[in-house]
Amino acid sequence: MGNLTKAQVEKLAEHLENAELQAYEVTKITDDYPDMTFEDAEDIQWEIRRRKEARGNKIVGMKMGLTSWAKMKQMGVEKPCYGFLADYFSVPDGGEIKHDELIHPKIEAELAFVTKKALKGPGVHIADVLAATDFVMPAVEVIDSRYKDFKFDLKSVIADNSSSTRFITGGQMKPVSELDLKTLGVVMEINGEVVEVGAGAAVLGHPAASVAMLANMLGERGEELPAGSFVMIGAITAAVQVNKGDNFTVKYQGLGTLSGKFV
């Protein structure tokens, strides 16, 4: 159950969304609201989502965060978190990302699943996801926590839309039957230098497990992943800090490349 009032949820949603829209740091909200629950944190995220939709923004996808066992251990958390992707988060492949609109961005190499059937938890598992998937495509997520010095806990992260801010997708699309998602390799380069390599199994052992977990987490709120959903599964590589002027290219085994530049 939640411990925050509706007014507190609305106030915190406005506070965190302003930090995102105006690119300034805040301290983690659990410092001021130590009694807030995970349900409160989700309520704040959904209120930020409602604010964007009320302003005319479209929600164009979902993302999972903290999807590696190593990252969960590092953060001291038991489960991943999810966030939504708004239309203005989308940057075209090869496009420019304005560094000044962000606080301390990092990039992660990911994959995205696009569904052809709805998925509704509880009880969704990997096979359900694979059967419901239309195709898989490469994605790069730009994460940008609004919290000062990246000091946060899981509740604060969930409330802050799981650090979502920008994403790039494109490359090639393939049905899951043509890919070995566990061994699919990824190489990230910044300014021509290899900075990270990884494989699909870094995401909860199998990338489809991330989508299953999302469907089950949404199911707890009576929500579903509709057909035609775009879902980014979480980081295959560690998150790498980027600076103004940096070019990045991510190469995906069998799925082409994605690139962009911070200006």
Side-chain angles (χ1 to χ4, degrees), residues 202-244:
V203 178
L204 298 170
H206 191 295
S210 176
V211 183
M213 201 172 276
L214 173 61
N216 291 332
M217 288 161 88
L218 291 174
E220 288 168 18
R221 290 186 72 91
E223 303 278 348
E224 67 172 18
L225 268 179
S229 290
F230 173 85
V231 180
M232 292 181 7
I233 58 163
I236 292 173
T237 63
V240 179
Q241 191 179 336
V242 277
N243 302 305
K244 196 182 268 199

Side-chain angles (χ1 to χ4, degrees), residues 93 107-111 137-140 168 170-172 183-200 236-237 248-260:
D93 183 16
I107 58 171
E108 297 178 340
E110 309 201 3
L111 291 169
M137 62 196 296
V140 171
I168 290 177
Q172 296 166 20
T183 63
L184 192 144
V186 171
V187 179
M188 181 192 289
E189 296 180 0
I190 295 184
N191 303 327
E193 199 173 311
V194 174
V195 290
E196 285 291 331
V197 294
I236 292 173
T237 63
F248 62 89
T249 302
V250 185
K251 298 171 181 169
Y252 296 81
Q253 185 182 347
L255 290 170
T257 63
L258 292 177
S259 64

Side-chain angles (χ1 to χ4, degrees), residues 67-128:
T67 47
S68 76
W69 301 117
K71 188 92 179 246
M72 280 189 268
K73 192 171 177 192
Q74 181 193 336
M75 294 294 304
V77 299
E78 289 90 69
K79 60 177 185 180
C81 52
Y82 63 80
F84 64 84
L85 303 170
D87 45 13
Y88 68 91
F89 293 5
S90 178
V91 176
D93 183 16
E96 295 183 340
I97 299 163
K98 295 187 177 75
H99 201 281
D100 291 348
E101 291 178 357
L102 309 173
I103 303 165
H104 36 217
K106 298 181 175 186
I107 58 171
E108 297 178 340
E110 309 201 3
L111 291 169
F113 281 61
V114 178
T115 63
K116 58 188 174 189
K117 289 199 293 239
L119 286 165
K120 183 158 191 189
V124 175
H125 58 82
I126 290 175
D128 299 324

Side-chain angles (χ1 to χ4, degrees), residues 15-34:
H15 167 68
L16 289 171
E17 198 200 19
N18 284 343
E20 178 240 320
L21 293 172
Q22 296 161 35
Y24 59 80
E25 294 180 321
V26 294
T27 52
K28 71 178 195 290
I29 58 173
T30 47
D31 290 350
D32 299 316
Y33 297 91

